[in-house]
Amino acid sequence: VKDLIEKMLRGERRALARLLSYVEERDSRSHKLLEQIWPQTGRAISIGVTGPAGVGKSTLIDQLIRVIRDNQKKVGIIAVDPTSPFTGGAVLGDRVRMQRHSGDPDVFIRSIGSRGKTGGISFSTRALMQLLDAFGTDVILVETVGAGQSEVNIVDLVDTTVVVLMPEAGDSIQALKAGLFEIADVFVVNKKDRDGAERVAQDVETMLSLAPGRSSWKPPIVLTEATNGDGVGVLWKEILRHHEDVVKQGIPKKELLRRRLHELSEIVGNRLSFILMSKIERDSRLMKKLEVVSRPNLYSVCDELLKKYLKSK
Amino acid sequence: VKDLIEKMLRGERRALARLLSYVEERDSRSHKLLEQIWPQTGRAISIGVTGPAGVGKSTLIDQLIRVIRDNQKKVGIIAVDPTSPFTGGAVLGDRVRMQRHSGDPDVFIRSIGSRGKTGGISFSTRALMQLLDAFGTDVILVETVGAGQSEVNIVDLVDTTVVVLMPEAGDSIQALKAGLFEIADVFVVNKKDRDGAERVAQDVETMLSLAPGRSSWKPPIVLTEATNGDGVGVLWKEILRHHEDVVKQGIPKKELLRRRLHELSEIVGNRLSFILMSKIERDSRLMKKLEVVSRPNLYSVCDELLKKYLKSK
């Protein structure tokens, strides 16, 4: 692993890919690895792109990659959205379109599967972001779906959250009500060529004027047409403007502490769960109990385990 | 709590509501509480209702409640879907419609918020299900959105998974490709009055005929119109038929062990995280470190904590 880390820090993509897999697979080495790269992290700008399925998030990201590459910056993409073409869940046409960046050595795309790994998407996403950060990526884009639908609380992970909507107001307004409105640093109304795009923008404007001001930042509303790239340059400028604002204002101490405790609890929970589950699997008496007893009281089993492995102080 | 549990087991709704809140808030008492009610659980039939946003899951559930109540059974509903009217995320009209069951003492509706509770929706959902089960609910309906979008792996939580689709095939077929197809025990094509409903049913039929047979169960496809209840009686019969099949076939030992280990790891992770985080908050040296140091290496902090609190054996 040490060797791989060195290679990764020298910019070897293959080493990065291997390390990303270790983290994603929750390999036993991943904790040590993340500890070691920590000092190299904290540089990249991170941007969350979220919104209902079908609004064109992936196409927008595709265009953002283009703009970012035109600015000579390295970019990493993490797709948590299972309907994203980046994750392979979409129709073939989309997937082919995404391929055009795949030859670019300064674009790194990774998707996250959500199956069967409890409580871990947020942890995995953060860990992948840290690896990309250490690798020297300037910008990290994270695509998630919906609001609260993926357990990934995107605002805890990124500096700037872009909420993407589209005309066909019902869905978009419903999504805003379900929690997307509060988290937006920048609004996008995509598919601006369609009827009702201006209307959606106005609805958001109205909601903004009624909402209690959270901070000095007023989220801008950008109209785009991701399929041809219209408005995406403006979007990029607004994202950078927000980033500068965050840097200038700084994060309040209390909020910073909250975030750190949250991240720490994820890391601790993950590590402990890994350690204890591997202990359990080597504990033949316990395994027999789980296999045989008709419905063993798992809360009692948990207590037994903690008594055995946790210091009481 | 003991008193509340007794009252709850005697059928007092107010006691149940209080206990549900304890569990949802991750109250310090919730672990003990869940351990105590465990022997009273394992009786209810559990049904997951999932599908893309906007297909009419909530309206369908509303009609299912009616059918289930006509059969004199007690029913509990847990909405994990943030766009569900049950969770309060939807337009007023829907919410009013839902109210019609609110006076019925044998209908219990609960929604789950997803914000800020890492790795916990699955745990919370399961815990609420166990409480409703112990309360004497015959049927538990769990509404989730999408596929893999909510970190709740619905198939791990319920006996029967109903996947709801609608005409406007693009979205539905994309959702199937993104993981909904594999998990369905029963398919529903809702809004059957619309153009293309038969077509969606045929597409699913084709996908089923091409898919490798996982088991002896062939998922039926039911066409419904939730707004007027058409087809919902048939849906209920198919759900019961699947439940009988599960009972008859039994769950393979290996799968049962996998599920138990998974549930145990959730319980353990949750409990440990709770215990350790409260230790951290009382550890002024550590808190100072988290507050002051510019970017403390949280992986190293985690190691420190484990050394302090975990027995090495």
Side-chain angles (χ1 to χ4, degrees):
Chain A
V1 173
K2 218 183 152 199
D3 190 44
L4 278 176
I5 293 178
E6 274 170 25
K7 283 183 179 161
M8 183 272 284
L9 292 176
R10 278 202 308 268
E12 279 192 30
R13 280 171 68 94
R14 279 224 322 242
L16 173 62
R18 287 271 300 275
L19 294 174
L20 287 168
S21 299
Y22 288 166
V23 169
E24 235 186 333
E25 305 290 326
R26 307 283 173 85
D27 187 285
S28 57
R29 291 161 287 193
S30 67
H31 181 84
K32 196 84 208 134
L33 148 67
L34 289 163
E35 183 176 0
Q36 278 169 8
I37 63 158
W38 183 278
Q40 320 296 331
T41 62
R43 290 179 33 265
I45 298 180
S46 55
I47 301 154
V49 179
T50 193
V55 292
K57 295 186 293 295
S58 307
T59 315
L60 199 67
I61 287 176
D62 188 54
Q63 294 284 352
L64 272 174
I65 297 173
R66 193 182 46 75
V67 174
I68 295 164
R69 294 295 302 125
D70 286 350
N71 286 290
Q72 319 293 335
K73 293 196 185 299
K74 282 192 188 188
V75 61
I77 298 96
I78 299 171
V80 186
D81 181 351
T83 66
S84 166
F86 293 116
T87 65
V91 286
L92 195 62
D94 283 327
R95 220 181 303 173
V96 170
R97 182 154 38 73
M98 295 306 163
Q99 293 299 322
R100 69 165 145 152
H101 298 296
S102 69
D104 184 334
D106 289 328
V107 177
F108 215 101
I109 301 175
R110 195 84 182 186
S111 64
I112 286 191
S114 65
R115 286 305 164 89
K117 283 174 189 160
T118 314
I121 300 189
S122 174
F123 174 83
S124 294
T125 306
R126 207 192 290 269
L128 294 186
M129 290 173 72
Q130 281 160 347
L131 268 169
L132 287 171
D133 193 344
F135 181 64
T137 302
D138 301 295
V139 182
I140 298 171
L141 300 166
V142 183
E143 178 186 3
T144 62
V145 82
Q149 298 182 2
S150 69
E151 202 164 327
V152 181
N153 211 341
I154 190 71
V155 282
D156 277 343
L157 296 177
V158 299
D159 304 322
T160 301
T161 302
V162 178
V163 168
V164 187
L165 307 168
M166 62 175 273
E168 258 152 66
D171 259 24
S172 283
I173 299 304
Q174 189 155 329
L176 288 179
K177 284 186 183 164
L180 277 182
F181 180 75
E182 289 78 8
I183 65 171
D185 299 310
V186 178
F187 287 99
V188 168
V189 181
N190 193 31
K191 310 191 184 183
K192 72 182 173 79
D193 53 320
R194 296 205 190 170
D195 281 350
E198 278 295 343
R199 173 73 196 285
V200 174
Q202 270 162 32
D203 286 347
V204 174
E205 191 73 54
T206 307
M207 286 176 84
L208 280 172
S209 69
L210 294 171
R214 298 160 296 172
S215 67
S216 59
W217 177 256
K218 183 182 173 294
I221 305 164
V222 183
L223 278 80
T224 61
E225 195 171 336
T227 44
N228 64 17
D230 253 28
V232 178
V234 178
L235 172 58
W236 179 239
K237 276 192 197 119
E238 292 292 358
I239 290 170
L240 288 182
R241 196 167 65 82
H242 178 257
H243 186 255
E244 278 158 27
D245 185 74
V246 171
V247 171
K248 210 181 77 192
Q249 304 286 337
I251 300 165
K253 261 196 176 161
K254 213 177 145 184
E255 171 61 13
L256 201 63
L257 182 63
R258 190 194 67 76
R259 286 194 201 172
R260 278 179 185 170
L261 279 174
H262 183 80
E263 184 173 354
L264 182 61
S265 91
E266 271 185 15
I267 293 170
V268 168
N270 223 279
R271 184 82 187 125
L272 272 175
S273 184
F274 182 86
I275 291 173
L276 281 186
M277 289 318 283
S278 58
K279 281 188 199 290
I280 291 171
E281 276 163 33
R282 278 181 274 118
D283 184 334
S284 56
R285 195 191 58 80
L286 181 62
M287 283 300 273
K288 199 137 243 152
K289 192 171 179 176
L290 288 174
E291 270 168 14
V292 175
V293 179
S294 64
R295 272 191 84 242
N297 189 326
L298 296 180
Y299 290 88
S300 305
V301 172
C302 172
D303 287 345
E304 260 179 64
L305 278 170
L306 297 197
K307 205 170 275 171
K308 200 164 168 185
Y309 296 114
L310 207 63
K311 287 179 193 167
S312 58
K313 68 163 174 178
Chain B
V1 173
K2 219 184 152 198
D3 190 43
L4 278 175
I5 292 179
E6 273 169 26
K7 283 183 178 161
M8 185 272 284
L9 292 177
R10 279 203 306 269
E12 278 192 31
R13 280 172 68 95
R14 278 221 326 239
L16 173 62
R18 289 270 301 275
L19 294 174
L20 287 169
S21 299
Y22 289 167
V23 168
E24 235 185 333
E25 306 289 328
R26 307 283 174 86
D27 187 285
S28 58
R29 291 161 287 193
S30 67
H31 182 85
K32 196 85 208 131
L33 149 66
L34 290 163
E35 182 175 0
Q36 278 169 9
I37 62 158
W38 183 279
Q40 322 295 331
T41 63
R43 290 179 32 266
I45 298 180
S46 55
I47 300 154
V49 179
T50 192
V55 293
K57 296 186 292 294
S58 307
T59 316
L60 200 66
I61 287 175
D62 188 54
Q63 293 285 354
L64 272 173
I65 297 171
R66 192 183 45 75
V67 174
I68 294 165
R69 294 295 302 126
D70 286 350
N71 286 289
Q72 318 294 335
K73 293 197 185 301
K74 283 193 188 185
V75 61
I77 298 95
I78 300 170
V80 186
D81 180 351
T83 65
S84 166
F86 293 116
T87 66
V91 287
L92 194 62
D94 283 326
R95 220 182 301 175
V96 170
R97 183 154 38 74
M98 294 307 163
Q99 294 297 323
R100 69 163 144 152
H101 298 295
S102 69
D104 184 334
D106 289 328
V107 176
F108 215 103
I109 299 175
R110 196 82 183 189
S111 64
I112 287 191
S114 65
R115 285 306 164 88
K117 283 176 190 159
T118 314
I121 299 189
S122 174
F123 174 83
S124 294
T125 306
R126 207 193 289 271
L128 295 186
M129 289 173 73
Q130 281 160 347
L131 268 169
L132 287 171
D133 193 344
F135 181 64
T137 302
D138 301 296
V139 182
I140 298 170
L141 300 167
V142 183
E143 179 185 3
T144 63
V145 83
Q149 297 181 4
S150 68
E151 203 165 324
V152 181
N153 210 342
I154 189 71
V155 280
D156 278 342
L157 296 178
V158 299
D159 303 323
T160 300
T161 303
V162 177
V163 168
V164 187
L165 306 169
M166 62 175 273
E168 259 153 65
D171 260 24
S172 282
I173 298 304
Q174 191 156 327
L176 288 178
K177 285 185 183 165
L180 277 183
F181 180 73
E182 289 76 8
I183 65 171
D185 298 309
V186 177
F187 287 99
V188 168
V189 181
N190 192 30
K191 311 192 184 182
K192 72 183 173 79
D193 53 321
R194 294 206 191 169
D195 281 349
E198 279 294 342
R199 175 69 198 285
V200 173
Q202 270 163 31
D203 285 347
V204 173
E205 191 72 53
T206 308
M207 286 175 85
L208 280 172
S209 70
L210 294 171
R214 298 160 297 173
S215 67
S216 58
W217 177 257
K218 183 183 173 291
I221 306 163
V222 183
L223 278 80
T224 61
E225 196 170 337
T227 44
N228 64 17
D230 253 26
V232 178
V234 178
L235 170 60
W236 179 239
K237 277 193 195 119
E238 292 292 357
I239 290 170
L240 288 182
R241 196 167 66 83
H242 178 259
H243 186 255
E244 278 158 27
D245 187 74
V246 170
V247 171
K248 210 181 75 191
Q249 304 285 338
I251 300 166
K253 263 195 173 159
K254 212 177 146 184
E255 171 60 15
L256 201 64
L257 182 63
R258 189 193 67 75
R259 286 194 202 171
R260 280 179 184 170
L261 279 174
H262 183 79
E263 185 174 353
L264 181 61
S265 91
E266 271 184 15
I267 293 170
V268 168
N270 224 278
R271 185 81 188 124
L272 272 175
S273 183
F274 182 87
I275 292 173
L276 280 187
M277 289 318 284
S278 58
K279 281 187 198 290
I280 291 170
E281 277 163 30
R282 278 180 275 120
D283 183 334
S284 56
R285 195 192 57 82
L286 181 61
M287 283 301 274
K288 199 139 242 150
K289 191 169 178 178
L290 288 174
E291 270 168 13
V292 174
V293 179
S294 64
R295 270 190 85 242
N297 188 328
L298 297 180
Y299 290 88
S300 306
V301 173
C302 172
D303 287 345
E304 260 179 64
L305 278 170
L306 297 197
K307 205 171 274 172
K308 201 165 169 185
Y309 296 114
L310 208 62
K311 287 180 193 165
S312 57
K313 68 162 173 178

